[in-house]
Amino acid sequence: MLQMNDLWVKQCGISHTGSFKDLGMTVLVSQVNRLRRMKKPLLGVGCASTGDTSAALSAYCAAAGIPAIVFLPANRISIAQLVQPIANGALVLSLDTDFDGCMRLIREVTAELPIYLANSLNSLRLEGQKTAAIEICQQFDWEVPDWVIVPGGNLGNIYAFFKGFHMCKELGLIDRIPRLVCAQAANANPLYLYYKAGWKNFKAIKASNTFASAIQIGDPVSIDRAVFALQNSDGIVEEATEEELMDACAQADLTGMFTCPHTGVALAALIKLRKNGVIRATDRAVVVSTAHGLKFTQSKIDYHSKAIADLPCKFANPPVQVANDFGAVMDVLRRELSLR
Ligand SMILES: N[C@@H](CCOP(=O)(O)O)C(=O)O
């Protein structure tokens, strides 16, 4: 469909807690562990989260015996993401606000109490996350891809990728930095709007509901870093509607992947940029897959059951209800298999 022969997906979500957040959180929690051994007075480590950061923080804090405190927007994250910090023994505050509200609160709280802030405005996180960029270079034997497409919400990750590529270039391991694309959900697109306005007058927005709930963020903490990364990599910002991102996920899953909606946003951006000729058929492009699709089964079930209002769900593959009867089963098989 895209007629590309050098297209890759960098799987950053097939990891211990099922998202790329593991890369940076191991670095941050290791440092906190060291601070505690040095008897620095820390009550614990805290974050605001849309579900992945909190899962990573809780897991590594549990392993290190450090109290974790997570602020989550009530009813805005998946069940799988909610149960991760609960199971790992974190103190979970489910707040009647969105992610941006949680972020404001945790910043106020950590200014008041000796709780170490674990969101990606802490550069230790980005030091860990940048290793994905180094790995991409290494996996291509230090040949730089033309494009790297990263979903963006709080916007630390796009900067972490830039940092990783920039470091490789400084070290002489690669000769250029790939063009970065930050892909946002159209329902949560403050960076896209800023880009379209020629980087003039950034305005935080109220993010609307999106299936890509982990990037449902209207006031990203790393906005300036993201702009720096994009401006210094001849970067682009693209957006994807709910229909585009869910269709892109479903199409990708047909290849054997099991994508999360945020990866769907990046894939939808790729499809658009390929269709309008910005990305060429022969370009080497890497789409960053940020989380495991198993964290987002409800939206996939709803899609494949065609149970989403106003979404045609073009690639739905609903299960066929059949009576417990040999003839009925044979009829279905004959009908369905002739269609595939
Ligand atoms: N998508 C994030 C939101 C928090 O962002 P972070 O960059 O500060 O970790 C999440 O999973 O919580």
Side-chain angles (χ1 to χ4, degrees):
M1 160 212 174
L2 292 170
Q3 293 174 325
M4 296 180 77
N5 59 8
D6 210 354
L7 172 60
W8 301 82
V9 173
K10 175 69 179 159
Q11 294 282 9
C12 295
I14 302 177
S15 64
H16 178 64
T17 69
S19 89
F20 73 98
K21 306 288 180 174
D22 288 338
L23 296 171
M25 204 56 88
T26 46
V27 177
L28 182 139
V29 174
S30 301
Q31 173 64 1
V32 174
N33 206 14
R34 198 176 74 89
L35 293 175
R36 280 169 60 98
R37 280 160 200 248
M38 289 162 65
K39 305 284 176 234
K40 299 278 180 211
L42 282 176
L43 285 178
V45 190
C47 72
S49 184
T50 49
D52 289 331
T53 300
S54 43
L57 176 67
S58 310
Y60 298 113
C61 278
I66 302 170
I69 303 107
V70 305
F71 285 16
L72 300 176
N75 306 319
R76 285 178 163 96
I77 68 171
S78 74
I79 290 285
Q81 290 171 313
L82 175 61
V83 80
Q84 286 181 290
I86 291 174
N88 287 149
L91 172 59
V92 177
L93 269 60
S94 182
L95 293 156
D96 184 19
T97 179
D98 55 11
F99 169 80
D100 298 303
C102 292
M103 192 68 232
R104 274 190 292 277
L105 277 170
I106 193 85
R107 288 177 89 161
E108 284 174 33
V109 167
T110 52
E112 202 60 40
L113 294 174
I115 294 175
Y116 195 85
L117 185 57
N119 281 101
S120 62
L121 36 76
N122 187 320
S123 57
L124 288 171
R125 286 273 313 284
L126 307 181
E127 289 305 313
Q129 286 172 212
K130 81 178 183 197
T131 58
I134 303 167
E135 233 176 54
I136 288 174
C137 295
Q138 188 188 28
Q139 286 167 334
F140 286 129
D141 206 11
W142 311 102
E143 268 182 32
V144 186
D146 298 300
W147 300 93
V148 176
I149 307 172
V150 187
N154 219 15
L155 301 179
N157 211 24
I158 186 83
Y159 181 69
F161 271 91
F162 175 77
K163 220 167 181 281
F165 289 123
H166 186 257
M167 191 190 87
C168 288
K169 185 162 176 275
E170 294 281 285
L171 290 172
L173 294 167
I174 58 174
D175 56 3
R176 63 190 166 91
I177 290 175
R179 291 186 71 182
L180 297 179
V181 178
C182 189
Q184 293 212 294
N187 283 356
N189 63 353
L191 181 74
Y192 177 77
L193 297 176
Y194 193 23
Y195 170 75
K196 283 289 175 190
W199 302 126
K200 288 200 181 68
N201 301 326
F202 173 73
K203 285 193 198 71
I205 61 163
K206 177 99 186 136
S208 314
N209 284 346
T210 168
F211 289 111
S213 53
I215 54 174
Q216 189 177 320
I217 295 172
D219 193 7
V221 297
S222 291
I223 182 73
D224 294 337
R225 287 164 160 175
V227 173
F228 182 84
L230 290 160
Q231 287 179 340
N232 286 284
S233 62
D234 195 12
I236 291 179
V237 188
E238 192 46 271
E239 66 171 2
T241 64
E242 295 301 287
E243 182 176 350
E244 288 165 343
L245 73 92
M246 289 304 280
D247 282 348
C249 271
Q251 284 175 284
D253 288 357
L254 286 171
T255 70
M257 285 191 282
F258 197 72
T259 50
C260 70
H262 323 92
T263 306
V265 172
L267 289 164
L270 165 78
I271 293 169
K272 282 184 164 171
L273 294 170
R274 178 70 199 96
K275 280 192 179 149
N276 66 19
V278 173
I279 296 183
R280 293 165 307 173
T282 51
D283 285 350
R284 172 176 285 178
V286 180
V287 173
V288 175
S289 177
T290 45
H292 203 299
L294 281 171
K295 289 192 181 199
F296 301 93
T297 45
Q298 188 60 53
S299 59
K300 282 186 187 288
I301 284 286
D302 292 345
Y303 181 94
H304 286 292
S305 317
K306 289 188 171 256
I308 303 174
D310 302 326
L311 228 67
C313 305
K314 284 200 285 289
F315 303 97
N317 179 30
V320 184
Q321 301 294 328
V322 199
N324 179 15
D325 172 78
F326 179 76
V329 168
M330 290 300 282
D331 285 348
V332 169
L333 290 178
R334 282 195 194 100
R335 186 185 71 230
E336 292 293 323
L337 294 178
S338 69
L339 296 174
R340 290 177 190 231

